[in-house]
Amino acid sequence: MLERLQRLLGLQTIPGVFFTSAGIAVLFVAVAVPYDKEVSGTFGILTGWVAANLGWFYILSVTSLLLFLLALAVSRYGTIRLGSDDSRPDYSNLTWFTMLFAAGIGTILMFWGVAEPVSHFANPPFEGVRPGSDQAASDAMTVALYHFGLHTWTIFAMPGLAIGYFAYRHNLPMRISSLFYPILGERAFGPWGWAVDVIAVLGTLFGVATSLGLGTLQLNSGLSYLFGIPSTGWVQVLLIAIIASIAATSVALGLDKGVRRLSQLNIVLAILLILFVVAVGPTVFIAEGMVQSVGDYFDALPWLAFWTETFRESDWQRQWTLFYWAWTISWAPYVGIFIARISRGRTIREFVAGVLFAPTAFTLVWFGVFGLSAIHVEMDGQIALAAQVQQDPSVAIFAFLEAFPLADAASLLSVIIIIIFFTTSSDSASLVIDMLTRRDDQPSLTRQRIFWAAAQGVIAATLLLAGGLDALQNVITSLGLPFCVLLIFMAVALFRALRADYQGYSVSELVQGRAFPEVEAVATPKKESQNV
């Protein structure tokens, strides 16, 4: 029946994945629009249960994956390429980095670059720390870097590495289900694999929708600041519709013409904004604070990575850390596939070093400039920044820029950056979802990619109307859990395949049980690698 429907609509998909994912998304919107309060309340209850009972699982999983990736990079497997042994990268390091950043957390940094450090400065997460104190400032920067540094990029790097490895080295389809071939065998291409891909599609849809929702809130605040446009739900829906239309145009152009050019443009604009704040802001304070913040971050990382608020009755970690991890995990399939697609030819060591440390370095600079400057503004009493952020975090960067000359021009530049980040997130996610819902031998139809771009916008609008920021946080914290489990299995499958590859066995030999005979315990390759 689904195949008949596909032919009727003129689509090129895996019907079980496409129509199941689309059907669940449509059902969610159909229920959430008339019953917004009930849906929001249900996810609030579910989020509370997840935070109370499984928060430790999120914390332990992400930290364990970080250690796994670092160990993999320095191990004997680090020299294995994502592709044949003689393959080389498709993109230069600079182009690769700009695409990583724009498709990853550009929108998030624009929203939280000022809002999070100021929030923690005014309301310290640790007991015994006085709000507004020097220790509160130091802790605020440390926690912000923890949330957006190595741990965030671990969540993106894990699926990206696994997908790139199986796709380019073993010629498996570039879908999440392919990563489970060493575990499921041929069942990875049937209903079991389809179920995995449906989870990945839904996680991507809701994860990117959450990012679009946050971006819309911030964009509305910027337009309200610049032009007096009211901050209302229907204005936000209109903004989503406009941006979705821009994203649909970009996604129709494809990866190289659309996403790459927008990514390169936006990284230049983001650097201009950074240079502006450094030039007109507390330059020496930024430089000193950045050096200290890097030290504080790496000093606190070993214990902070395992901190679970065990001895404290607080909702802080649910609102911040668990939300970030679940949010990042939910759209990790999209970012992972996107990163894999632009990373062919790199060694595992190059991939891990680039994906973990290059964007983290930029994140350190971003928070060093915006976070430290915002804390300086608050400490000097130039404007009541903390009060405005606590009332509405979406106004943070615009309220912050009021403390500097050329505030209107800087705010307008910020709005442009938000729009482009908005667009690159949506169009690259649409390309990836289309890849997840069709076979490699099927053409990528423009109307399918546009459908997924529209779906992201509709879900984002629905979540905003259902409860704004709280609804975004509750839905994504709940939905991130299934894919967190998949990430663990993904690491296991990748390690098994790498071990077989290093010893000269193909993935198919691994599945058939012909790899790793008990009498052989080799530490060097036996024969040349071969594809499936």
Side-chain angles (χ1 to χ4, degrees):
M1 183 177 69
L2 293 180
E3 291 183 356
R4 191 183 313 146
L5 179 60
Q6 174 174 267
R7 288 193 297 269
L8 180 64
L9 296 175
L11 304 177
Q12 294 286 337
T13 69
I14 302 172
V17 178
F18 181 91
F19 288 110
T20 302
S21 303
I24 293 174
V26 170
L27 180 62
F28 172 81
V29 173
V31 173
V33 170
Y35 302 104
D36 54 342
K37 292 182 180 179
E38 290 81 359
V39 169
S40 180
T42 299
F43 277 104
I45 294 172
L46 183 58
T47 297
W49 184 89
V50 169
N53 296 279
L54 294 173
W56 63 270
F57 178 70
Y58 275 119
I59 302 297
L60 180 61
S61 297
V62 178
T63 297
S64 298
L65 290 173
L66 172 58
L67 296 175
F68 171 75
L69 288 174
L70 293 175
L72 211 58
V74 300
S75 73
R76 61 189 183 184
Y77 307 122
T79 57
I80 295 176
R81 288 194 177 274
L82 306 183
S84 60
D85 291 337
D86 60 352
S87 61
R88 291 296 179 267
D90 292 339
Y91 299 98
S92 68
N93 289 337
L94 180 59
T95 299
W96 185 51
F97 170 64
T98 59
M99 296 172 77
L100 283 176
F101 179 74
I105 60 172
T107 305
I108 308 174
L109 292 183
M110 286 298 296
F111 191 94
W112 295 111
V114 170
E116 176 160 1
V118 169
S119 296
H120 300 331
F121 178 65
N123 294 288
F126 307 124
E127 290 184 302
V129 178
R130 181 171 55 84
S133 63
D134 292 346
Q135 186 61 48
S138 176
D139 290 345
M141 291 299 299
T142 298
V143 171
L145 295 178
Y146 166 55
H147 284 156
F148 294 100
L150 292 174
H151 279 70
T152 285
W153 285 96
T154 290
I155 296 170
F156 294 151
M158 184 66 249
L161 177 60
I163 293 164
Y165 172 78
F166 284 110
Y168 297 133
R169 191 142 184 108
H170 295 289
N171 298 326
L172 291 172
M174 193 171 279
R175 297 196 298 272
I176 300 298
S177 56
S178 296
L179 311 186
F180 296 88
Y181 182 72
I183 297 175
L184 298 176
E186 294 300 320
R187 289 174 295 175
F189 307 121
W192 282 100
W194 298 345
V196 170
D197 287 332
V198 167
I199 292 174
V201 170
L202 293 175
T204 300
L205 275 176
F206 282 88
V208 175
T210 298
S211 297
L212 299 185
L214 290 174
T216 300
L217 290 173
Q218 190 177 37
L219 182 59
N220 195 178
S221 296
L223 294 176
S224 177
Y225 169 79
L226 289 170
F227 307 111
I229 296 174
S231 295
T232 65
W234 290 110
V235 169
Q236 291 157 12
V237 170
L238 178 61
L239 289 174
I240 288 177
I242 294 172
I243 300 300
S245 299
I246 298 174
T249 302
S250 177
V251 82
L253 294 174
L255 179 64
D256 288 334
K257 293 182 180 179
V259 178
R260 183 176 68 175
R261 292 177 182 176
L262 284 174
S263 300
Q264 292 171 335
L265 170 63
N266 220 31
I267 199 71
V268 171
L269 296 180
I271 291 174
L272 286 176
L273 186 60
I274 288 175
L275 294 176
F276 169 77
V277 175
V278 170
V280 302
T283 307
V284 175
F285 181 82
I286 292 172
E288 292 177 342
M290 197 179 301
V291 172
Q292 179 173 313
S293 295
V294 171
D296 289 342
Y297 168 58
F298 285 106
D299 178 61
L301 191 59
W303 68 264
L304 195 58
F306 295 94
W307 178 56
T308 59
E309 284 194 310
T310 305
F311 307 108
R312 180 186 179 190
E313 291 293 331
S314 170
D315 200 38
W316 184 91
Q317 202 163 52
R318 166 190 168 178
Q319 294 178 340
W320 292 96
T321 308
L322 297 186
F323 164 61
Y324 284 144
W325 285 182
W327 179 16
T328 310
I329 287 169
S330 68
W331 62 326
Y334 133 62
V335 180
I337 290 180
F338 184 81
I339 292 175
R341 190 173 178 187
I342 63 176
S343 301
R344 179 168 53 189
R346 297 187 181 275
T347 65
I348 289 177
R349 189 166 297 145
E350 290 172 343
F351 181 94
V352 172
V355 177
L356 285 186
F357 291 101
T360 296
F362 191 90
T363 300
L364 293 172
V365 173
W366 188 275
F367 275 100
V369 172
F370 289 94
L372 287 167
S373 297
I375 289 174
H376 187 272
V377 167
E378 179 68 21
M379 293 175 71
D380 277 6
Q382 293 175 261
I383 55 176
L385 184 58
Q388 295 185 60
V389 170
Q390 289 175 320
Q391 183 177 0
D392 182 5
S394 67
V395 307
I397 193 167
F398 305 107
F400 159 72
L401 290 172
E402 289 181 3
F404 303 110
L406 302 175
D408 288 348
S411 295
L412 181 59
L413 178 60
S414 299
V415 167
I416 294 172
I417 293 172
I418 293 167
I419 291 174
I420 299 179
F421 274 141
F422 207 150
T423 303
T424 54
S425 295
S426 180
D427 60 10
S428 54
S430 302
L431 288 167
V432 166
I433 295 175
D434 183 54
M435 293 172 63
L436 286 170
T437 57
R438 62 177 173 83
R439 299 193 312 268
D440 285 356
D441 60 349
Q442 293 175 318
S444 176
L445 302 181
T446 301
R447 57 180 174 272
Q448 291 173 192
R449 301 197 301 270
I450 292 176
F451 168 79
W452 292 118
Q456 296 162 35
V458 171
I459 292 173
T462 302
L463 291 174
L464 285 177
L465 293 177
L469 182 57
D470 288 340
L472 294 171
Q473 290 180 322
N474 288 336
V475 169
I476 212 60
T477 303
S478 305
L479 296 182
L481 184 61
F483 199 77
C484 186
V485 176
L486 292 184
L487 284 178
I488 302 300
F489 283 100
M490 194 181 299
V492 173
L494 177 62
F495 181 74
R496 293 190 69 207
L498 286 172
R499 184 167 169 244
D501 189 352
Y502 188 81
Q503 298 188 13
Y505 295 100
S506 68
V507 175
S508 60
E509 287 177 308
L510 174 63
V511 172
Q512 294 164 14
R514 288 188 281 141
F516 315 133
E518 292 295 328
V519 295
E520 295 179 352
V522 290
T524 56
K526 290 178 49 183
K527 57 181 179 177
E528 292 185 2
S529 300
Q530 54 184 323
N531 289 339
V532 173

